Amino acid sequence: MVAGALLALGELDAAHTIQLVGRASVIEATLAELLAGEFATLDGARGRVQVVDAPDVIEMSDRASLVLRRPNSSMSLGLRMQAEGRSDAFVSAGNTGAQMAASKALLDLHPGLTRPAISTIFPTAANPVVVLDSGANVDCSAQELVQFARLGAVYAEDLLGRPDPSVGLLSIGEEAEKGNAVVKEANQLLQDAAGINFHGNVEGRDLARGASDRGPIDVVICDGFVGNVLLKFYEALAPVLITMVADGAGIDRALLAGTFKHLDYNQYGGAPLLGVRGVSIISHGSSTPVAIKNALGVAARAVETEMNTHIGRRLADARPSRPPAA
Amino acid sequence: MVAGALLALGELDAAHTIQLVGRASVIEATLAELLAGEFATLDGARGRVQVVDAPDVIEMSDRASLVLRRPNSSMSLGLRMQAEGRSDAFVSAGNTGAQMAASKALLDLHPGLTRPAISTIFPTAANPVVVLDSGANVDCSAQELVQFARLGAVYAEDLLGRPDPSVGLLSIGEEAEKGNAVVKEANQLLQDAAGINFHGNVEGRDLARGASDRGPIDVVICDGFVGNVLLKFYEALAPVLITMVADGAGIDRALLAGTFKHLDYNQYGGAPLLGVRGVSIISHGSSTPVAIKNALGVAARAVETEMNTHIGRRLADARPSRPPAA
C-alpha cells in the first residue's frame, strides 16, 4: 500500500496528497525505508503524505458488520474522514464486505438507491467494458438492475470518456424474451427507462468481443453472482492461457505475460463502489504496488470528473417528478 | 453434417453405421459429391450410411414447441428412430430448444428428474471440466442443481474416464454460506447427498484452473443462465486472445490459432443432453465437419460406455427406498 502510494505521487498532479490510514508506527517505518531506498529520488514525497493512526484492524476473515463497531479501524476511520470532508476519496485492499458495509453506513447511498454496486473493467476485443454488479449483490431485483444501468453509464462517461454509453443487459439470447425471470423483467423496464441508451440483451460472447452484432457496448449489467463468477473466471484465465500458448507454440513465457497484461487486474487497480455518496475504491487483497497506484489514479479521476455529483443528478432525473402544486 | 459423418466413419469402429436424417435428395446429392471428391479414398463408406427422408424442417428461428407438431421433421424423426430402437444415439446441430423439447417428449426423462441438462466441456489449466447446466434451464431449484450433480458425475466417469469425480458447486466464495439463495440451499443438500463426491463451493477462478485450493475438480454445477453466459464468453475469447497476443508480441496468427485449439468448441463437438432416456447430442449451429465428427464420437462413446444405463441406476440409487412390505 505504501509503495503504491509513492508510485502514485510520482504520477499524480502535485496538488494531490495521500493520507495513509493504519497503524502509524508500521506505516512510518515502511515510509522511511522506501524513501531511503527504492523511492530516494522522489522529491517532496514525504510532504504530500499524511499518516493517520488507526490502531484497530479489520481482518480479511472478519464478518463485515464488525467494521461498524470498530470506529478506530483504518476502514472506518478512512471513510469517516471522507464523510467529514477531510478527504475526497478512499481506497482499500482490505475486507471487501466490510468496505461495502462501512461505505454504505458512513457515506450513505444516493436517494433512490437500495444497494451500491461494484463496477469492474473487462478488457475485450474492442474497447474495455464496464461490468456491474461484480459481487456486491447476489440476488438482485429487476429494479436494481435498472439502477446499475444508470450507475454504470455515469462511470463509463466520466472515467472512460464514453459519451452516451451503450448499456447491455447480460442474458442468454439477444431477444427480449430470453433470460431468467429477473432479466426478462429488467429488459422490459430498461426499454422504457428514460436517460439510458439501452443496447438490449447481450450474450457472453458479446462481452468478450466488446460489441454485439448491433454495435459496440460500453456497459454490461448483471447481478453480482453472475458478475463475480465471470470476473474471477476471466482474471484466472491469463496465467492459464499463457501456459497453453507457451507450451503449445514454444513461445517464451515472459514475452507472453506482457501481451496478456490487458487481462491483468493490476492494470486497472480498483473497482469503484458505485451508488455511495462519495468515492470508495475496492482493490484486490493481493494487489501489487502498481495496482494500488492505478486504484489511486481511478480515485483521482472520479474526484476530478465529479462522478459522484453526476450520479446523484442522473438518479434525481430518473425519479418521477412530483405533480405541480395546485 | 454429411462431411462430418464421413470423417467419423473414417475413425469409428467398422461396426458403426450412420443414419443421415433430412431431405433425402439433398443428402444423396451431397453424399455423391463428397464420395466422388474429398472422400474418394474412403472405402466402404456408402454401405455404412443410411439416408432417411425427413421432408419437414425445423428452422433455427422456429419456436421449440413446433417440433412436436412436425413428426416428419428430421429432429422428430431422428429421435423417434431412437425411441423405437432403430438407432442408438442422435446428433443434431439444429434448433437447440426444439431438440430439447423433442428429446424430452420422445425419449422421456429418467424417473426422478424434472429437467434435462446440457453438459459441456471447459478446457482448463488442468484437466477439462464438465460444466452443467449450460443453457437448458435458466431458473433452477436447489433440488435440480443436485440432480445435475448426479448427471455430471456419470458423464465424467463414462466419457472422461474419471473415477469418483469431484463435483463443485459454482458460487462466489468457497464457504458454504456464500452465494445466492438457491446456491446456498443446494450446498446444504449436496453436503448430505449420498453418492456424490461433493467438492464444496468453487469460484470462477477454480473453474479456469480446473482445481480449487482443495484439489482437482471434475464437474462444476450451475444454473443454465450462468452456465450459458460463461460458455459463450469462453468460446468467444479464443479469437480475442489470438488478436491480443499476435498484436502484442508480433507472433504469427496461424501459429497461435493452433495453440488455442483447446478453446475451440469444434474440438469437443457436442454437448450431451443429460437426463433423457437415450443419447441426444447438441452441436453448435455453426459446427464444422470436424465438430460433427467429434460429436458423433461423443455419441459413440456414450453408447459404448452405457452412460444412459448408468445415469438411470445412479438416479434410482438416490431415490428414497420404499419401506419393506410388512
Side-chain angles (χ1 to χ4, degrees), chain A:
Chain A
M1 296 300 293
V2 178
L6 294 175
L7 281 177
L9 287 177
E11 290 193 1
L12 291 172
D13 187 280
H16 286 294
T17 60
I18 295 177
Q19 297 151 325
L20 293 169
V21 187
R23 283 172 294 188
S25 60
V26 177
I27 297 173
E28 291 286 8
T30 309
L31 254 182
E33 188 188 324
L34 289 171
L35 288 172
E38 192 184 337
F39 292 91
T41 59
L42 187 64
D43 287 339
R46 190 61 190 83
R48 294 167 65 196
V49 174
Q50 182 193 351
V51 177
V52 179
D53 190 43
D56 285 352
V57 172
I58 305 294
E59 303 287 353
M60 294 302 248
S61 55
D62 283 335
R63 294 190 75 88
S65 56
L66 186 70
V67 71
L68 303 176
R69 302 198 305 274
R70 291 262 169 90
N72 291 320
S73 62
S74 54
M75 194 76 88
S76 290
L77 196 52
L79 282 161
R80 205 162 62 241
M81 287 167 63
Q82 188 183 163
E84 293 170 354
R86 290 184 284 149
S87 71
D88 297 306
F90 178 76
V91 172
S92 172
N95 181 316
T96 300
Q99 185 173 354
M100 288 194 290
S103 298
K104 201 173 157 184
L106 296 169
L107 299 178
D108 213 347
L109 289 174
H110 283 284
L113 287 186
T114 49
R115 299 167 165 192
I118 299 174
S119 54
T120 51
I121 302 285
F122 275 47
T124 75
N127 286 317
V129 165
V130 178
V131 176
L132 74 168
D133 176 35
S134 295
N137 313 282
V138 285
D139 288 295
C140 292
S141 69
Q143 288 74 17
E144 285 165 340
L145 293 179
V146 175
Q147 292 176 344
F148 298 166
R150 297 190 196 285
L151 296 173
V154 177
Y155 180 109
E157 279 172 7
D158 285 358
L159 268 69
L160 303 182
R162 310 269 176 90
D164 197 24
S166 183
V167 180
L169 175 66
L170 192 60
S171 190
I172 59 170
E174 67 177 58
E175 305 86 350
E177 67 275 13
K178 288 280 179 73
N180 58 30
V182 170
V183 164
K184 283 189 262 192
E185 186 187 349
N187 183 294
Q188 293 303 315
L189 293 175
L190 283 163
Q191 287 187 34
D192 297 334
I196 296 172
N197 178 6
F198 182 45
H199 189 94
N201 283 358
V202 297
E203 299 183 73
R205 68 169 68 100
D206 304 326
L207 175 55
R209 293 171 185 162
S212 77
D213 295 340
R214 309 183 300 286
I217 308 163
D218 298 298
V219 179
V220 166
I221 301 303
C222 57
D223 72 40
F225 186 91
V226 176
N228 187 270
V229 165
L230 270 176
L231 175 64
K232 287 179 178 163
F233 181 70
Y234 202 9
E235 283 177 353
L237 273 182
V240 169
L241 295 166
I242 286 171
T243 302
M244 275 188 195
V245 175
D247 295 353
I251 298 171
D252 184 57
R253 270 161 204 258
L255 177 66
L256 287 173
T259 66
F260 276 110
K261 70 180 179 190
H262 312 69
L263 293 184
D264 181 359
Y265 64 83
N266 284 312
Q267 297 299 316
Y268 297 94
L273 185 67
L274 296 181
V276 295
R277 300 173 70 158
V279 177
S280 180
I281 310 285
I282 296 169
S283 290
H284 247 275
S286 56
S287 290
T288 61
V290 169
I292 296 301
K293 178 205 75 175
N294 289 333
L296 288 162
V298 171
R301 278 199 301 284
V303 173
E304 286 162 1
T305 59
E306 301 182 68
M307 182 178 76
N308 186 41
T309 305
H310 295 158
I311 285 175
R313 196 179 300 155
R314 185 73 65 103
L315 294 169
D317 288 349
R319 283 196 294 280
S321 54
R322 294 186 198 161

Side-chain angles (χ1 to χ4, degrees), chain A residues 138-139 172 181 203 232 241 249, chain B residues 138-139 172 181 203 232 241 259:
Chain A
V138 285
D139 288 295
I172 59 170
E203 299 183 73
K232 287 179 178 163
L241 295 166
Chain B
V138 285
D139 289 294
I172 60 169
E203 300 184 73
K232 287 181 179 163
L241 295 165
T259 68

Side-chain angles (χ1 to χ4, degrees), chain B residues 87-101:
Chain B
S87 71
D88 297 306
F90 178 76
V91 172
S92 171
N95 182 319
T96 300
Q99 186 174 353
M100 288 192 291

